[in-house]
Amino acid sequence: LHWALSNVFRRSSRNPDPEEIVYDLPQALVSKGGGSTYTTKYKLEMDIEQAEYLAEHLQDEDEAGYFRNEVIPIYKKVLNNIPPLEQLERTGGLYA
């Protein structure tokens, strides 16, 4: 999980820092669920809730700090960039 959060997400187009983007997201739509390149507002809200739980309850302070100081702020930044649902008609509410 740590590797995925720190590498895959960071190098994708979802990263708010354009300097770190290595891979473009594919243009194909995902027909069911978020897949690996799309997300939804409610999914990201649940992910933030889970990350906050981990930040509060992990025994390892380095891992807890990573969720608190890295993961949660990035997830919140991405969440704030998701347009209103009515603007996501082409993707059926999915956000790339």
Side-chain angles (χ1 to χ4, degrees):
L1 180 62
H2 181 272
W3 182 87
L5 291 172
S6 62
N7 290 300
V8 175
F9 178 85
R10 189 191 63 181
R11 295 183 296 176
S12 79
S13 295
R14 286 191 184 139
N15 188 332
D17 181 357
E19 301 272 324
E20 294 183 351
I21 296 173
V22 176
Y23 305 110
D24 290 331
L25 294 175
Q27 296 304 308
L29 295 179
V30 178
S31 62
K32 295 186 181 204
S36 60
T37 58
Y38 286 87
T39 192
T40 60
K41 184 175 182 180
Y42 72 87
K43 169 73 168 86
L44 205 48
E45 289 169 341
M46 290 188 326
D47 290 345
I48 290 169
E49 186 176 319
Q50 291 173 340
E52 288 171 339
Y53 177 88
L54 289 172
E56 184 71 29
H57 292 91
L58 281 172
Q59 298 287 328
D60 184 322
E61 184 51 40
D62 288 338
E63 289 182 4
Y66 180 76
F67 278 93
R68 187 172 32 259
N69 302 318
E70 300 292 330
V71 175
I72 295 169
I74 289 171
Y75 277 15
K76 286 182 177 182
K77 192 179 251 188
V78 172
L79 181 63
N80 289 333
N81 287 332
I82 295 178
L85 189 58
E86 56 273 2
Q87 292 180 19
L88 297 171
E89 284 183 26
R90 185 179 75 84
T91 60
L94 300 176
Y95 174 71

